[in-house]
Amino acid sequence: MSTYLSKRLIYMFLILFAASLLIFCLYALTPGDFISGNIKLTPERKAELRDIYGLNKPLLERYGIWMSNAFRGDFGFSLAQQKPVLQLFNEYIWNSFLLAVVSTFLTWVIAVIVGVISAYKQYSWFDTLVMVAIFAAMSIPSFFIGLFLIKILAVDLKWLPPGGMLTTGSNATGIAYLKEVIHHMTLPVVVMTLLGVGSLTRYFRSNMIDVIKQDYIRTARAKGLTERKVLFTHALRNALLPAITLVGFELPALFGGSLIIEKIFNWPGIGQLYMQSFGLRDYPLLMGFTMFIAILTVLGTLISDILYHVADPRVRLQ
Amino acid sequence: MKRGIFLLTSLLIASSLLVSACSNNNSNSNSASKPVDTKTQDTLAATVGLTEPFTATDLSKLPAVAQKRTDTIIVGLTDPSGAFTPYFQQSGYDGNVSSLLYASLVNVNEKGLPVPELAESYDISDDALTYTFHLKSDLKFSDGSPLTADDVAFTWTILHDKAYDGDSQVLTLNIVGGAAYKAGTATTITGIKVTDPKTISVTLEKPNATALVTLGSNVLSKAYYGKDYKFGQLDYIKKLHEKPVGNGPYTLEKFIPGQEVRFVANEYYYKGKPATEHFIYKTTEGDVWQFVETGEVDYASFSATQENIDKLKGLGYLNVIPYTPSSYGYLQANLEHEQLKDKAVRQAITYGLDRKSIYVDASQGAGSVANIPASPISWSYTEEGINPYNYDPEKAKELLDGAGWIVGAGGIREKDGKPLSIHYLGSKSKNTDIFIAVAKENFQALGIKFEPEVFADFNSLVSKVEGGDYDLVSFSTPMLTDPSDGLLQFVDGEIKGYDNPKFKELYDKGLATTDIEERKKIYTEIYQLLNDELPVIFTSYKKTVYAYNGRIENLTVSPFIGLAGSLPNWSLK
Amino acid sequence: MITTPTKLVNAKRTKDSPVKSSLFRQSIRKLSKNKLAVSGFVVVILMFVACFIGPLFSPYTDNKINMAMMNKAPHLKHWLGTDALGRDVLTRVLLAGRISLTVGLASMMLSVFIGSLLGALAGYYRGIVDQIIMRIADLLLTIPSLPLLFIFGALLSEWKIPTDYRMYIVMLMLSFVGWPGLARMVRGQMLSLREREFMQAAVVLGLRDRRKLFNHLLPNIVPLLIVIATLNIGGAILSESVLSFFGLGVMPPTPTWGNMIDAANNMIDFQERPWLWIPPGFSIFATVIAINIFGDGLRDVLDPKQKR
């Protein structure tokens, strides 16, 4: 296990190193830089500013500087926001995390319940209905359904706020604050859950169908256990086991924010910050964010593999 | 011009990102019940729209959220980032924030003419090189400390630091001794002289009519921002961004990143404490209607389409005022390309492009056709001796024939075996879609091959323009204060390949005097020249409307400084 | 494991050949019993027919603007009304369908082709080939796809590709971010198939690599590929619409369902002009849902064990 881990860790570093180089080059190749967006500047002043920011240095040198700073935990200052990149992450990521964690939780709960029932009643009208509903939810462009729900639920019916995270100007604390946030996050969470629940439900359904056909389920039934017990203690547990590996893959999504949902619902998350920074070519922030996601992805994969081993000790780690 | 910093960004960056999302999206059309004949539409566009301010008809319709606010006014702002120190901010939205936190020495009025603010008065020497500002007495910063001429001197000085990375125009004025300070060979700027705590003068190397307003911008506290200052070291200012000490109508109460900037009235404001205790800039991404209809914001701007105006009036709880921004839209032509080098071709394109359909009809009256680089609200605006270039495809064809571009095989014009093609760049917006659709047909009719390209983000577009890989590109200027602002691009090298000594001479002449009547004459001459030469193809002036909560009183909007001027007077009834 | 190889091969052959000959017919029969899948299939076919043939009967195919007919509600001359430039919405939806369906199909084929080829090579040869391919896939998987698409979008404008060819670019972009996941899956399948007895038999028989790969291994993952491919078409159509939302999709005035719906994605059009967003919205919805249902039915028939 420990040799495996150390091997994996070395590999992770190599991949991340390669990723950082690739990301850096891609951003550097992207036309325009932070200075070029400000067309009010004279060409001389632009050159001066590029000099101040070090944007005129050779690519590899810039990468070297960035990398050596990053190793020391210094991801630099955002050019547009004039703040340390890490501080900005701290200000925005938790808002994204809140949305993601709640909607992921809901997605899983719904997917498990619906998946189990529709697997159990495979090819029944309920199953068919669920399948159609699932595919329907997966078939709408997210940006469209988002604005559409705002129009109906916020603008016309005024049941929910049209965006943001707090009532503007509110000084609520404690329970009142919590209520306010829940009120504001309802719409984005509903949309995120709607978009994510489909594929997961299908996953659980097919897992469950496989498990139900296994011999030990037949045995359990033969023992005379109640159907409910067979389904929820014997079958579900085995159907859930492989899903544990998915947990790791959710990691980047939990912290990475959602570019579309946050933009539409005016949510102060990292995804929206990224979008704005991309338009401005705020390289320190863009690099920092993309690397952050890369690290989470690699970590997530590792966690998945380990969990897989834990869930099914027959799987050897190599 | 100082407003230029943030207005520029808000107009340009925003026009590619957000403003387009709220205004352009809505700029499209006639509702189904409107008459359809093109001719009636012409008259429609001319007669309807909004000419007079409209007053809310039924305040009881105001959404409950807005009803509840008694001492708070909320305005939407795309994305303030937290860098609230003027001169040191990179985003135009931060500029909107700091314009409430800091007052200026000199401001501009509704006509774009300078008026003293923190300064009691100012003198300009006869050679137009030395500007002397006399400060009002008892000026105070928001922490209660006094504001003196030393603070003004400090502000101008740190802008000349070699580490300064902002885009202040003060640097372009060439203050005597500024370059030496920047190079590190002098410890003070010789051109800046503090005579007494209330008097400061500054000497320039050459006259510049914009100097007064540029110099007369925000004042930073030396005691606060200069405490840790060492030459070449300005990083410490970043730490002070979110703890500003200003002298404007409001002080910063709280900044919630990505959500709100909260202000509270500044009791030390030189005009007295503002009427409304709290003011909030709310971060608003998305369709602006959703915030207006739910009462989440008290104020918003819309493209002046009939549809928007009708809908705003119909809501009943909003006051609506018409407004023409001081900017102008244009198609920058690549003068280094063979086909557009020729004035006749540029004129032909102007004649052959149905600008009225694009900018007036298709945008439902939310614009008008431009022919000179100045907005109709500018004091320098004129139509005297200006060719309106009315849509005339026949004239366009004649001009092209005359210029040697003859229709060849496939209906595309050719000259010396080269086809006449136009590579157009635009940023993603509904207006660009309209332009491309109409221009494609117009150019086809003229025998020009049209190759449009649309960019999702402004930065890519600009770098493509910098690389010279284009023929025409759609741009809009930021809000312009002085007429010379709208001409700057023709002299500072931005429009490559335009080099007309006569224009340069007139431009310098226009800046060399501060006499308005004199300048008017000069600018008329400049406009006639540019209208004929068309170094860029002038396209349109935007028309917008501002809608605001009917409970707000004393609200006026200046085309040159936006809301900031009247904001301290806003009150809720 | 060292049983008599001949016996094994024979057993395999006798078992395989009758099934193989009728596998296709058998699947069709099974599929035709699944009414839902059949109706999905019918909808998809109808969609294709309508989009590719329908515009031929429209008097408005030249896509000409007509300022006098801006934003008219549906009426006799324009069954689905007109848009902001007076263009016929019905014609545009059908023309858009051509592009959207083509983008969906083509980018699916491209990514399935690249993904399965690379995955198969990696899984079959292992060693250095596997290392190189999978490391590249790992690398690409670490970079989030939307930012990657943003960067590509910005980069590609530098390549001076005429706007008319933008749709091919969109396809390329989509398949480029799509292949690593697929390659990984195919590789996994390959690795497990390699260890199966029939493959060991093939090794013992001394078959050539190419024969082993194409005659024995790939046919075994074809059902999986077909299912993935079907489901991917729907995904690609949706992705194109998301790209349009970010302004990276196919450029107007060339219509796609994505950019049509994006053009009407605002409060005023939601309220006043449902004919602008319902047709493209419904088209995306109906097509994607139909393709998914059909793909799901296919999966049940071809590959009942496959998960997800």
Side-chain angles (χ1 to χ4, degrees):
Chain A
M1 187 78 184
S2 65
T3 43
Y4 165 75
L5 265 186
S6 52
K7 246 164 95 186
R8 270 305 286 266
L9 284 175
I10 291 170
Y11 175 61
M12 269 171 58
F13 272 112
L14 287 177
I15 277 284
L16 284 176
F17 177 73
S20 70
L21 192 63
L22 181 67
I23 297 169
F24 195 89
C25 292
L26 280 172
Y27 279 127
L29 284 172
T30 313
D33 59 20
F34 183 66
I35 313 297
S36 63
N38 190 346
I39 62 167
K40 201 69 225 162
L41 300 170
T42 58
E44 299 85 56
R45 183 65 185 157
K46 279 186 180 171
E48 254 176 50
L49 287 177
R50 288 201 173 104
D51 194 44
I52 291 178
Y53 294 136
L55 290 171
N56 53 356
K57 294 201 176 94
L59 189 63
L60 274 179
E61 192 184 335
R62 273 158 62 195
Y63 175 71
I65 294 171
W66 183 83
M67 204 56 197
S68 63
N69 285 338
F71 259 113
R72 277 180 270 130
D74 173 14
F75 283 83
F77 267 82
S78 151
L79 298 175
Q81 318 256 331
Q82 302 272 310
K83 272 190 233 177
V85 168
L86 289 180
Q87 185 194 334
L88 280 166
F89 282 3
N90 191 35
E91 281 171 5
Y92 286 86
I93 276 178
W94 299 110
N95 298 336
S96 293
F97 178 71
L98 182 66
L99 272 194
V101 90
V102 174
S103 66
T104 308
F105 176 74
L106 284 178
T107 312
W108 278 68
V109 169
I110 296 174
V112 168
I113 295 175
V114 177
V116 168
I117 298 178
S118 71
Y120 180 61
K121 303 187 168 184
Q122 200 186 357
Y123 302 128
S124 69
W125 63 267
F126 176 82
D127 184 33
T128 309
L129 210 69
V130 164
M131 288 315 283
V132 174
I134 284 168
F135 287 128
M138 291 167 72
S139 310
I140 318 167
S142 49
F143 63 93
F144 178 77
I145 187 73
L147 195 64
F148 195 71
L149 287 182
I150 291 179
K151 162 81 182 141
I152 304 290
L153 296 176
V155 176
D156 292 347
L157 297 171
K158 298 205 167 53
W159 289 349
L160 292 165
M165 192 169 148
L166 287 176
T167 309
T168 316
S170 145
N171 285 314
T173 49
I175 298 291
Y177 175 82
L178 200 70
K179 262 169 104 178
E180 217 170 76
V181 173
I182 291 173
H183 195 50
H184 280 78
M185 67 192 281
T186 307
L187 262 185
V189 165
V190 164
V191 174
M192 281 172 87
T193 310
L194 197 67
L195 295 170
V197 80
S199 55
L200 205 63
T201 310
R202 277 169 60 194
Y203 179 78
F204 281 122
R205 178 179 174 269
S206 64
N207 266 1
M208 200 61 186
I209 288 175
D210 279 0
V211 171
I212 288 175
K213 287 179 190 149
Q214 299 290 323
D215 291 342
Y216 59 84
I217 297 295
R218 217 178 298 150
T219 317
R221 284 203 180 116
K223 273 200 303 190
L225 293 180
T226 58
E227 201 53 35
R228 170 182 298 214
K229 196 152 190 197
V230 172
L231 209 59
F232 283 95
T233 49
H234 288 75
L236 184 58
R237 187 176 296 171
N238 283 292
L240 273 180
L241 270 180
I244 287 180
T245 56
L246 290 182
V247 173
F249 292 118
E250 298 273 9
L251 195 66
L254 282 180
F255 292 92
S258 158
L259 302 189
I260 301 171
I261 300 292
E262 285 173 9
K263 186 177 157 77
I264 292 168
F265 291 102
N266 205 16
W267 191 262
I270 189 83
Q272 227 199 75
L273 184 68
Y274 176 85
M275 285 284 296
Q276 281 147 2
S277 309
F278 186 82
L280 297 169
R281 301 288 189 275
D282 190 348
Y283 292 122
L285 202 149
L286 298 177
M287 274 302 290
F289 176 74
T290 324
M291 268 321 283
F292 174 67
I293 299 290
I295 292 171
L296 287 182
T297 313
V298 173
L299 267 181
T301 320
L302 178 67
I303 293 174
S304 281
D305 289 353
I306 293 174
L307 281 178
Y308 199 52
H309 173 70
V310 172
D312 187 352
R314 283 172 302 175
V315 177
R316 248 181 293 145
L317 297 168
Q318 40 177 288
Chain B
M1 201 53 232
K2 68 195 144 163
R3 303 291 159 196
I5 310 165
F6 63 87
L7 295 174
L8 159 95
T9 351
S10 26
L11 259 145
L12 287 169
I13 293 171
S15 72
S16 62
L17 297 170
L18 182 103
V19 169
S20 55
C22 43
S23 53
N24 299 340
N25 278 350
N26 301 323
S27 63
N28 48 348
S29 62
N30 237 328
S31 64
S33 56
K34 290 271 155 11
V36 286
D37 187 289
T38 354
K39 274 185 188 142
T40 38
Q41 225 174 40
D42 290 356
T43 45
L44 259 181
T47 51
V48 286
L50 190 75
T51 43
E52 293 286 300
F54 170 85
T55 314
T57 48
D58 185 1
L59 280 179
S60 67
K61 284 188 185 158
L62 192 68
V65 201
Q67 204 81 260
K68 267 187 269 173
R69 292 194 287 265
T70 51
D71 62 347
T72 307
I73 291 174
I74 303 174
V75 173
L77 183 65
T78 307
D79 176 36
S81 74
F84 299 146
T85 317
Y87 307 110
F88 288 85
Q89 48 208 191
Q90 297 292 346
S91 142
Y93 309 118
D94 288 336
N96 288 342
V97 172
S98 64
S99 72
L100 289 185
L101 299 173
Y102 297 84
S104 300
L105 288 173
V106 177
N107 219 331
V108 289
N109 64 11
E110 307 78 68
K111 294 207 173 69
L113 299 170
V115 282
E117 206 171 87
L118 289 176
E120 180 77 51
S121 63
Y122 51 82
D123 314 313
I124 304 170
S125 63
D126 290 338
D127 59 4
L129 287 176
T130 302
Y131 290 75
T132 308
F133 295 89
H134 306 280
L135 302 184
K136 287 197 166 75
S137 20
D138 297 328
L139 292 174
K140 282 197 173 100
F141 285 104
S142 56
D143 60 356
S145 62
L147 187 162
T148 67
D150 276 333
D151 296 305
V152 182
F154 164 73
T155 307
W156 291 337
T157 305
I158 58 167
L159 299 181
H160 288 82
D161 193 283
K162 69 169 189 212
Y164 173 68
D165 64 352
D167 54 6
S168 167
Q169 297 293 315
V170 168
L171 293 173
T172 62
L173 296 175
N174 301 317
I175 296 176
V176 173
Y181 184 81
K182 191 166 183 174
T185 53
T187 51
T188 52
I189 297 174
T190 48
I192 302 173
K193 286 193 189 74
V194 177
T195 331
D196 62 63
K198 279 168 64 187
T199 316
I200 182 166
S201 69
V202 56
T203 310
L204 310 181
E205 280 167 3
K206 76 180 202 208
N208 188 324
T210 65
L212 179 63
V213 181
T214 308
L215 287 168
S217 188
N218 302 144
V219 180
L220 298 176
S221 158
K222 185 178 183 181
Y224 188 69
Y225 292 101
K227 207 168 45 196
D228 300 324
Y229 175 60
K230 273 190 230 68
F231 181 75
Q233 283 296 324
L234 287 171
D235 272 354
Y236 70 94
I237 286 196
K238 288 183 177 145
K239 296 198 187 88
L240 305 177
H241 279 337
E242 284 183 37
K243 290 170 279 184
V245 168
N247 42 36
Y250 283 91
T251 60
L252 186 71
E253 187 185 2
K254 194 175 180 187
F255 169 56
I256 315 175
Q259 302 187 64
E260 293 169 28
V261 191
R262 294 183 188 171
F263 301 89
V264 63
N266 174 13
E267 57 178 316
Y268 297 112
Y269 184 48
Y270 80 100
K271 281 185 194 162
K273 201 175 167 185
T276 307
E277 182 69 22
H278 297 280
F279 182 84
I280 297 175
Y281 267 132
K282 178 183 169 65
T283 305
T284 46
E285 266 274 1
D287 196 321
V288 74
W289 278 109
Q290 73 199 44
F291 300 109
V292 171
E293 285 189 73
T294 51
E296 296 261 324
V297 296
D298 287 312
Y299 166 98
S301 91
F302 292 88
S303 187
T305 65
Q306 194 57 44
E307 188 170 65
N308 281 347
I309 294 168
D310 290 344
K311 185 164 176 174
L312 288 169
K313 285 180 177 174
L315 287 176
Y317 54 83
L318 296 169
N319 290 353
V320 190
I321 44 176
Y323 169 80
T324 307
S326 60
S327 57
Y328 66 90
Y330 59 96
L331 289 170
Q332 184 169 324
N334 192 336
L335 303 174
E336 288 170 332
H337 279 190
E338 194 55 42
Q339 62 267 49
L340 290 167
K341 212 180 238 171
D342 187 350
K343 177 172 107 179
V345 176
R346 300 196 298 268
Q347 287 178 335
I349 288 174
T350 317
Y351 276 118
L353 196 63
D354 190 355
R355 292 179 297 163
K356 194 170 154 302
S357 278
I358 300 172
Y359 299 107
V360 184
D361 297 344
S363 62
Q364 221 198 113
S368 56
V369 173
N371 285 301
I372 58 167
S375 159
I377 52 158
S378 163
W379 51 259
S380 65
Y381 182 81
T382 181
E383 286 177 13
E384 183 193 325
I386 299 297
N387 182 350
Y389 290 100
N390 289 327
Y391 178 52
D392 188 350
E394 293 315 310
K395 175 111 186 174
K397 284 177 194 162
E398 249 171 59
L399 280 164
L400 287 173
D401 285 336
W405 294 95
I406 309 299
V407 181
I412 301 294
R413 286 174 191 271
E414 289 172 358
K415 185 175 173 181
D416 308 328
K418 270 180 67 187
L420 182 53
S421 69
I422 296 286
H423 178 194
Y424 165 84
L425 315 180
S427 33
K428 192 212 171 206
S429 78
K430 198 147 200 164
N431 290 345
T432 304
D433 292 353
I434 293 174
F435 179 89
I436 291 176
V438 177
K440 202 164 193 164
E441 287 187 12
N442 287 168
F443 284 147
Q444 199 174 9
L446 296 181
I448 300 174
K449 197 169 162 219
F450 184 58
E451 293 163 342
E453 193 177 349
V454 180
F455 291 83
D457 81 319
F458 190 65
N459 227 311
S460 311
L461 183 135
V462 170
S463 70
K464 189 122 184 171
V465 173
E466 275 185 352
D469 182 19
Y470 72 100
D471 293 309
L472 289 179
V473 51
S474 275
F475 276 133
S476 171
T477 64
M479 275 204 235
L480 307 167
T481 314
D482 192 81
S484 68
D485 297 343
L487 301 174
L488 192 64
Q489 55 173 335
F490 302 111
V491 281
D492 70 355
E494 203 184 313
I495 309 272
K496 285 184 197 132
Y498 185 65
D499 189 20
N500 183 338
K502 183 161 179 234
F503 170 74
K504 285 225 167 96
E505 185 198 320
L506 284 168
Y507 178 82
D508 289 337
K509 224 168 122 192
L511 281 180
T513 170
T514 48
D515 177 36
I516 293 290
E517 288 310 312
E518 181 82 14
R519 292 186 79 196
K520 264 189 194 170
K521 271 186 218 135
I522 299 166
Y523 285 112
T524 303
E525 204 177 326
I526 290 180
Y527 295 153
Q528 286 164 351
L529 179 79
L530 293 177
N531 173 258
D532 178 62
E533 295 220 313
L534 294 175
V536 301
I537 293 166
F538 304 106
T539 53
S540 67
Y541 306 119
K542 284 200 195 89
K543 281 186 187 167
T544 52
V545 292
Y546 285 145
Y548 61 97
N549 183 342
R551 284 170 64 206
I552 301 178
E553 289 176 313
N554 309 320
L555 185 151
T556 56
V557 181
S558 152
F560 302 103
I561 55 169
L563 296 175
S566 77
L567 206 141
N569 309 327
W570 293 9
S571 61
L572 282 168
K573 72 175 168 202
Chain C
M1 281 297 139
I2 315 169
T3 44
T4 40
T6 36
K7 207 173 155 190
L8 222 163
V9 173
N10 282 342
K12 200 80 197 166
R13 218 171 252 160
T14 44
K15 209 177 160 196
D16 244 6
S17 39
V19 176
K20 213 171 196 176
S21 66
S22 69
L23 182 69
F24 183 68
R25 230 177 293 156
Q26 206 183 13
S27 309
I28 298 241
R29 204 175 318 129
K30 259 201 212 159
L31 192 64
S32 62
K33 278 192 203 138
N34 184 343
K35 287 194 189 104
L36 204 59
V38 171
S39 52
F41 183 70
V42 170
V43 171
V44 175
I45 293 300
L46 279 179
M47 225 30 162
F48 268 91
V49 170
C51 294
F52 284 88
I53 300 181
L56 303 180
F57 299 99
S58 161
Y60 307 107
T61 28
D62 53 357
N63 234 331
K64 253 205 166 1
I65 52 170
N66 182 353
M67 291 294 176
M69 292 297 291
M70 291 191 322
N71 286 319
K72 309 299 279 173
H75 58 281
L76 265 181
K77 271 188 160 169
H78 297 275
W79 295 351
L80 290 178
T82 60
D83 70 0
L85 289 168
R87 296 172 295 195
D88 183 56
V89 172
L90 177 60
T91 313
R92 273 175 73 76
V93 164
L94 296 176
L95 290 173
R98 286 185 183 177
I99 311 269
S100 292
L101 291 170
T102 315
V103 167
L105 261 179
S107 66
M108 170 278 289
M109 291 202 283
L110 207 60
S111 61
V112 167
F113 176 74
I114 302 174
S116 57
L117 187 70
L118 292 178
L121 288 177
Y124 181 73
Y125 286 106
R126 300 194 284 199
I128 186 80
V129 180
D130 185 23
Q131 285 296 322
I132 293 173
I133 294 175
M134 292 326 287
R135 289 319 73 114
I136 294 175
D138 277 354
L139 189 57
L140 284 176
L141 281 172
T142 53
I143 307 176
S145 58
L146 261 180
L148 201 58
L149 287 174
F150 284 176
I151 298 174
F152 281 140
L155 271 177
L156 287 171
S157 73
E158 286 295 280
W159 293 0
K160 308 192 180 182
I161 289 147
T163 320
D164 297 347
Y165 297 107
R166 248 330 251 245
M167 77 181 246
Y168 304 107
I169 300 289
V170 171
M171 290 174 202
L172 269 177
M173 279 161 62
L174 288 177
S175 32
F176 187 77
V177 296
W179 75 263
L182 226 139
R184 193 178 251 193
M185 195 186 297
V186 171
R187 171 179 172 269
Q189 289 284 315
M190 284 308 242
L191 285 179
S192 81
L193 283 175
R194 259 189 85 113
E195 303 306 320
R196 297 269 278 276
E197 286 151 350
F198 74 93
M199 274 317 292
Q200 287 173 348
V203 174
V204 175
L205 280 177
L207 296 183
R208 272 178 306 153
D209 275 5
R210 202 197 287 170
R211 182 137 174 232
K212 277 189 281 186
L213 194 55
F214 290 101
N215 292 12
H216 294 273
L217 285 173
L218 274 177
N220 273 292
I221 57 165
V222 161
L224 168 68
L225 286 182
I226 291 180
V227 172
I228 293 176
T230 332
L231 299 176
N232 264 11
I233 301 178
I237 292 176
L238 276 180
S239 301
E240 190 277 326
S241 78
V242 169
L243 286 183
S244 287
F245 176 66
F246 287 115
L248 299 170
V250 176
M251 295 292 168
T254 309
T256 65
W257 288 337
N259 67 29
M260 284 181 78
I261 208 171
D262 176 51
N265 197 33
N266 60 70
M267 293 289 167
I268 289 234
D269 284 336
F270 277 173
Q271 176 112 30
E272 310 283 338
R273 290 181 279 273
W275 64 88
L276 289 183
W277 53 266
I278 289 178
F282 179 76
S283 305
I284 294 184
F285 183 73
T287 311
V288 177
I289 198 173
I291 288 177
N292 274 328
I293 287 175
F294 175 62
D296 206 58
L298 263 186
R299 174 215 310 270
D300 283 354
V301 172
L302 290 175
D303 195 28
K305 277 206 191 120
Q306 183 52 42
K307 292 164 194 167
R308 213 162 203 215

